[in-house]
Amino acid sequence: METWQNILQKSVTTLDGLQEQLDCDITALGDVIANFPMRINPYFLNLIRSPNDPIWKQAVPDPAEMVDRVCIEDPLGEEDLSPVPNLVHKYPNRVLFLVTNKCAMYCRFCTRKRKVGTTRMHVTPATLQAGYDYLKDHPQVTDVLISGGDPLLLEDDQLEDILQNLKAVPSIEIIRIGSRVPSVLPMRVTDNLVSILKKYHPLYINTHFNHPREITPESSAACTKLADGGIPLGCQTVLLKGINDNPKTIKELMLGLLRIRVKPYYLFQADLTRGIDHFRTPTATGLDIMKHLYGHISGLAIPTFALDGPGGKGKIPLTPQFVLENNGKNLIFENYLGEVCNYPEVEYYD
Ligand SMILES: *Cc1c(COP(=O)(O)O)cnc(C)c1O
Ligand code: SF4
């Protein structure tokens, strides 16, 4: 069987390679990939059925990436919130720790596209050590979210070294891994990987699927393997114009995720990242999608629709309005069918 490293090695990374594989107009793409790298591995490439389909749009560079209106380089203020390189300390009790700059595919809508896969992001033994030292000095941090890039693109022994170092920090209670590997390079989820991960419980993985067509026999098998290792799986989906910005697609995706034992966690409003303006949707689109989920499908399949506040203000939930009025005596609300309902407030409360 071919190794995941071999598969990755055959990724499309150049315009000539792209033109060989897809019926794609590469004029005007030179600038795009000079700024934002391309990597389309053979597994994900094979999921493309036609030009500009939802898989294509996530992977194939587009001249629109060079056109921006209000977008900014680092919309979440991550660089300003990094006390040491590659560690973002935004919330008091949890941090984001970037442990590699590589991904199994470079998503065109990536919020960190300013640096992933480029020399603008350096992860070295020294930055990793600075991260561990910072965590030892900040015992209020109990929850470390390792991301990148994609941590599961590290070799098994490199990943295990990081997990061991984090586990050695007494104040850390939970390790979370953010990884798109289950959806874009599922063969990376090997038995050996799972046997390493399961030594570091409580360990959670938040994966990232954006379209029902990413749910394949291969990605299902990868999630099954991880879930069988006792690893709770969540999903962080990004709401993307022309890819999944309608109730039908999101509903199908969320229900499909539950079937492969992945619990939808966040549905993200796209960030203001430079190069992704063409993927943004009005917040009303996401709110309307959420209205089509609540009450209509299992509560287990419903993610929190969230906006990551520009400037590092943190994530806030965006929730459709069900409450119509509260006059102190009665809470008047609308249910999922649009019926007006009433809940009498408690009369005496001390
Ligand atoms: C998203 C994020 C977290 C984790 O937030 P949760 O809501 O707990 O999932 C932590 N740190 C940073 C910088 C983040 O962006
Ligand atoms: S896998 Fe994640 S970090 Fe990597 S390019 Fe895609 S969205 Fe960005």
Side-chain angles (χ1 to χ4, degrees):
M1 207 181 79
E2 211 177 2
T3 64
W4 64 270
Q5 291 93 337
N6 268 336
I7 296 170
L8 199 59
Q9 195 68 42
K10 294 182 192 153
S11 297
V12 173
T13 57
T14 63
L15 293 187
D16 286 344
L18 185 64
Q19 212 167 26
E20 269 169 39
Q21 297 291 335
L22 295 174
D23 181 18
C24 179
D25 178 8
I26 60 165
T27 48
L29 290 184
D31 236 18
V32 179
I33 69 162
N35 280 273
F36 308 117
M38 166 173 65
R39 174 184 271 172
I40 314 174
N41 72 58
Y43 168 78
F44 207 74
L45 185 76
N46 277 327
L47 298 183
I48 294 175
R49 289 184 198 150
S50 56
N52 287 310
D53 77 6
I55 303 294
W56 171 300
K57 282 187 179 168
Q58 294 185 63
V60 180
D62 187 314
E65 291 173 50
M66 301 310 289
V67 184
D68 271 306
R69 282 164 287 222
V70 297
C71 294
I72 43 187
E73 201 69 19
D74 177 18
L76 305 179
E78 291 187 338
E79 306 300 338
D80 293 340
L81 289 165
S82 298
V84 297
N86 302 325
L87 185 144
V88 186
H89 194 176
K90 173 155 77 180
Y91 299 108
N93 56 353
R94 52 208 198 278
V95 298
L96 175 67
F97 188 26
L98 309 179
V99 298
T100 171
N101 73 344
K102 295 188 178 56
C103 297
M105 164 177 95
Y106 293 117
C107 309
R108 305 323 299 172
F109 52 83
C110 178
T111 197
R112 233 165 265 134
K113 75 187 284 175
R114 69 180 182 282
K115 61 182 187 178
V116 294
T118 76
T119 52
R120 292 184 290 277
M121 184 171 179
H122 303 280
V123 178
T124 63
T127 66
L128 291 172
Q129 189 57 49
Y132 309 140
D133 292 341
Y134 182 85
L135 293 168
K136 278 180 213 143
D137 292 342
H138 294 80
Q140 69 270 35
V141 177
T142 56
D143 180 341
V144 175
L145 169 49
I146 64 175
S147 180
D150 195 318
L152 298 189
L153 267 216
L154 295 171
E155 294 292 333
D156 290 352
D157 54 341
Q158 294 174 302
L159 182 66
E160 175 141 38
D161 185 62
I162 292 170
L163 293 172
Q164 251 164 10
N165 274 285
L166 293 177
K167 205 69 181 175
V169 180
S171 41
I172 293 174
E173 296 169 355
I174 298 176
I175 298 172
R176 295 195 247 178
I177 298 178
S179 172
R180 230 202 135 169
V181 149
S183 63
V184 299
L185 188 66
M187 41 299 285
R188 175 12 176 166
V189 180
T190 57
D191 292 337
N192 195 52
L193 176 70
V194 176
S195 72
I196 291 170
L197 295 175
K198 67 197 282 193
K199 289 192 263 174
Y200 298 91
H201 282 312
L203 180 138
Y204 290 73
I205 291 184
N206 269 327
T207 182
H208 177 169
F209 285 71
N210 294 324
H211 194 275
R213 275 179 37 204
E214 292 162 28
I215 300 176
T216 62
E218 291 88 348
S219 62
S220 310
C223 292
T224 298
K225 226 177 236 195
L226 292 166
D228 284 349
I231 301 163
L233 301 173
C235 182
Q236 311 198 147
T237 297
V238 186
L239 194 54
L240 298 163
K241 181 174 158 192
I243 293 176
N244 60 14
D245 56 338
N246 61 79
K248 183 173 173 288
T249 303
I250 292 289
K251 203 184 276 186
E252 195 182 325
L253 175 63
M254 299 302 148
L255 290 172
L257 287 169
L258 274 196
R259 282 193 293 267
I260 62 167
R261 300 163 72 187
V262 177
K263 163 82 186 83
Y265 178 47
Y266 279 133
L267 173 65
F268 282 123
Q269 173 71 18
D271 292 325
L272 294 175
T273 306
R274 186 186 303 286
I276 73 164
D277 199 47
H278 56 301
F279 287 118
R280 291 172 66 216
T281 52
T283 56
T285 299
L287 288 168
D288 176 62
I289 290 172
M290 294 307 293
K291 262 228 138 133
H292 283 82
L293 302 185
Y294 286 110
H296 296 278
I297 61 171
S298 163
L300 271 181
I302 301 181
T304 300
F305 178 40
L307 169 74
D308 215 339
K313 296 300 179 191
K315 295 177 183 68
I316 57 145
L318 300 176
T319 311
Q321 279 302 330
F322 289 98
V323 172
L324 301 174
E325 186 195 336
N326 187 346
N327 57 22
K329 280 197 160 48
N330 290 292
L331 177 83
I332 318 286
F333 63 96
E334 194 176 62
N335 75 356
Y336 73 106
L337 297 172
E339 297 162 344
V340 177
C341 315
N342 173 34
Y343 174 83
E345 291 283 3
V346 62
E347 280 181 42
Y348 304 101
Y349 183 66
D350 17 68

